[in-house]
């Protein structure tokens, strides 16, 4: 299981400061909407210069198939190691994307977002008229059949996804509160032990790390628990 640290901080300098502080640790860095919209490609390049961190670009794309495939082709040129799209964009969008990426010599891993970890059952049902597990089962089936590499989900759907697809189909799980920190806006939260029991391949941790007084120390503690 790998630790992916969300860099959702307030400035370019804060991002670089955090990357320097975490230099040398066996982590992935997640660049999301806030940081990418503000700093763009120059941030990705600057992070890679600090250390050979793997980068997950978390932009959760959602559009019509051709527009998504065009965008994914551009993303694949950015030297990122993983990015994501919304599974609810549908199978034809996912197949178009994977078909387009297959023409490239090398492509990043592609994950599909299932149900956001900030949804509880009630809010999810009001939007999708399905329970979370049922929807995630369907999303993972079409994502797997379309040739994606895995899903973004909560820890509580990780096993279900693997049972329904393949044990090697990646599950990346945000909503992790490693040492029972407050859950903030996240609803389906879990600790490291729970992530391990549910065979998450990646845990994503943001605020418990970047808001801590000593982010490196928190990362080291997490990495110790991952062993
Ligand atoms: O601060 P926290 O640990 O809650 O951050 C979680 C990160 O994971 C955020 O960057 C959020 O955008 C992202 N994420 C999520 N739930 C998803 C997909 C991504 O929380 N389903």
């Amino acid at each position: 299981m790998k630790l992916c640290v969300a860099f959702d901080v307030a400035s370019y300098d804060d991002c670089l400061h955090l990357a320097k502080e975490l230099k040398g640790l066996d982590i992935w860095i997640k660049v999301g909407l806030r940081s990418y919209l503000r700093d763009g490609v120059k941030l990705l390049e600057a992070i890679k210069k600090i250390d050979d961190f793997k980068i997950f670009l978390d932009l959760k794309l959602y559009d019509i198939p051709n527009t998504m495939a065009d965008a994914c082709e551009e993303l694949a040129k950015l030297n990122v190691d993983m990015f994501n799209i919304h599974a609810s964009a549908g199978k034809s969008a996912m197949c178009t994307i994977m078909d387009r990426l297959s023409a490239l010599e090398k492509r990043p891993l592609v994950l599909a977002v299932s149900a956001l970890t900030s949804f509880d059952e009630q809010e999810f049902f009001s939007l999708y008229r399905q329970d979370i597990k049922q929807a995630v089962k369907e999303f993972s089936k079409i994502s797997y059949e379309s040739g994606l590499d895995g899903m973004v989900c909560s820890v509580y759907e990780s096993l279900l996804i693997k049972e329904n697809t393949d044990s090697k189909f990646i599950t990346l799980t945000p909503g992790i509160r490693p040492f029972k920190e407050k859950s903030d806006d996240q609803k389906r939260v879990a600790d490291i032990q729970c992530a391990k029991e549910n065979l998450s391949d990646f845990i994503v941790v943001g605020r418990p790390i970047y808001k801590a007084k000593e982010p490196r120390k928190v990362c080291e503690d997490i990495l110790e628990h991952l062993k």
Side-chain angles (χ1 to χ4, degrees), residues 76-92:
K77 296 177 195 161
L78 297 182
N79 193 26
V80 294
D81 302 282
M82 182 157 71
F83 69 86
N84 59 1
I85 60 172
H86 270 285
S88 53
K91 197 170 179 180
S92 52

Side-chain angles (χ1 to χ4, degrees), residues 33-90:
L33 287 169
R34 182 183 200 181
S35 296
Y36 191 73
L37 289 176
R38 187 187 59 230
D39 305 322
V41 181
K42 81 170 182 194
L43 175 63
L44 306 177
E45 290 169 350
I47 290 174
K48 287 269 184 192
K49 258 193 208 148
I50 290 170
D51 198 352
D52 193 23
F53 291 119
K54 300 255 189 222
I55 297 183
F56 166 36
L57 188 55
D58 177 20
L59 301 181
K60 301 186 185 69
L61 302 183
Y62 182 83
D63 211 312
I64 60 172
N66 183 62
T67 305
M68 286 181 81
D70 287 344
C72 291
E73 202 178 333
E74 299 300 339
L75 269 179
K77 296 177 195 161
L78 297 182
N79 193 26
V80 294
D81 302 282
M82 182 157 71
F83 69 86
N84 59 1
I85 60 172
H86 270 285
S88 53

Side-chain angles (χ1 to χ4, degrees), residues 4-5 10 35 90 94 100 125 133 149 162 168 201 227:
C4 189
V5 182
S35 296
M94 291 196 269
R100 186 79 71 83
F125 191 83
K133 282 206 157 53
D149 302 291
K162 287 181 184 284
K168 291 200 177 68
D201 296 292
K227 280 182 190 160

Side-chain angles (χ1 to χ4, degrees), residues 6 8 30 58 60 115-117 152 174 177 186 204-208:
D8 298 330
K30 183 176 90 68
D58 177 20
K60 301 186 185 69
L116 297 173
T117 41
V152 182
R177 292 297 176 261
Q186 300 282 20
V204 177
V205 185
R207 284 162 285 188

